[in-house]
Amino acid sequence: PDVDSIVGELLEVTKLFCVYVLLVQSVRSERRLAVFTTAIAVMITVLALAGVLFSLGVGIPGYQWEHRGAHGFQYVGIFEDANCLGQVFAVAWTLILFDFVNGKGSGWRRTAELASIAVLGWAMLLTGSRGTMLGAGIGMFLSLRRRFGLIGPGLVIVALLAAMSLAGISRMDQLSRGEESAET
């Protein structure tokens, strides 16, 4: 990499870090934390819904299919890589799934959470990112572990990952340490 690209990356990371610090410092109560996590989950779910609609042929600006041999779709800006986009979807998936499994909400809230989980799951599959699948699996394990212990959720996740590998979902059957994606 040349010096300009390294400086560009550092500036991008510095901007993200500053935004992160500002957001973290604004959360000083459980109520603000709930509002903050809900807002993030809703925004990411809307992004995922737009991606699903794009995959169905709706002209959503900003989305495109990757052209580097991968099978996923990407967005613009910091989500121009399918892996980054998928990891963001996995974060919202985990937040919503955890509340769905462990929380106590009204029927409307649980219905909205279930719909969001479905949309995010679909969008994660569309990214074609193996790291996203692994991240979503960890999120599912953590969500289920609190309520069901270690053994059951662990077996469920191992079985799901094995089934995805055998079926070739999100290229899970093509894991290789020598691949650029795996190295990063």
Side-chain angles (χ1 to χ4, degrees):
D2 62 348
V3 174
D4 289 338
S5 66
I6 292 172
V7 169
E9 290 290 324
L10 285 174
L11 287 174
E12 193 67 30
V13 169
T14 302
K15 286 189 280 185
L16 291 172
F17 179 73
C18 290
V19 169
Y20 169 78
V21 169
L22 286 171
L23 291 173
V24 167
Q25 291 302 315
S26 69
V27 177
R28 298 196 174 267
S29 70
E30 285 187 40
R31 176 77 178 134
R32 281 188 182 179
L33 178 62
V35 169
F36 179 73
T37 55
T38 300
I40 285 183
V42 167
M43 288 187 288
I44 295 171
T45 302
V46 169
L47 185 67
L49 179 59
V52 168
L53 291 173
F54 168 78
S55 76
L56 296 173
V58 178
I60 305 288
Y63 282 93
Q64 67 181 14
W65 294 103
E66 270 191 325
H67 299 290
R68 294 177 298 173
H71 304 289
F73 71 119
Q74 59 192 25
Y75 195 61
V76 295
I78 61 171
F79 303 129
E80 66 186 352
D81 181 82
N83 296 320
C84 296
L85 183 62
Q87 289 297 325
V88 169
F89 293 157
V91 167
W93 156 276
T94 302
L95 289 172
I96 296 169
L97 184 64
F98 187 88
D99 193 61
F100 182 78
V101 171
N102 299 296
K104 296 176 181 149
S106 66
W108 287 106
R109 179 179 177 144
R110 295 183 75 64
T111 302
E113 287 175 338
L114 191 57
S116 296
I117 290 166
V119 166
L120 287 160
W122 189 350
M124 285 187 294
L125 287 172
L126 289 171
T127 65
S129 167
R130 293 168 291 196
T132 296
M133 295 302 112
L134 295 172
I138 290 168
M140 181 183 279
F141 172 77
L142 293 173
S143 297
L144 296 173
R145 185 195 69 74
R146 181 172 181 187
R147 187 165 188 174
F148 301 108
L150 289 173
I151 306 286
L155 292 174
V156 167
I157 299 309
V158 168
L160 280 173
L161 291 175
M164 290 176 73
S165 180
L166 291 173
I169 295 173
S170 290
R171 302 174 298 120
M172 291 292 285
D173 58 335
Q174 300 173 9
L175 292 174
S176 168
R177 289 187 317 171
E179 189 179 0
E180 180 184 345
S181 174
E183 290 176 359
T184 57

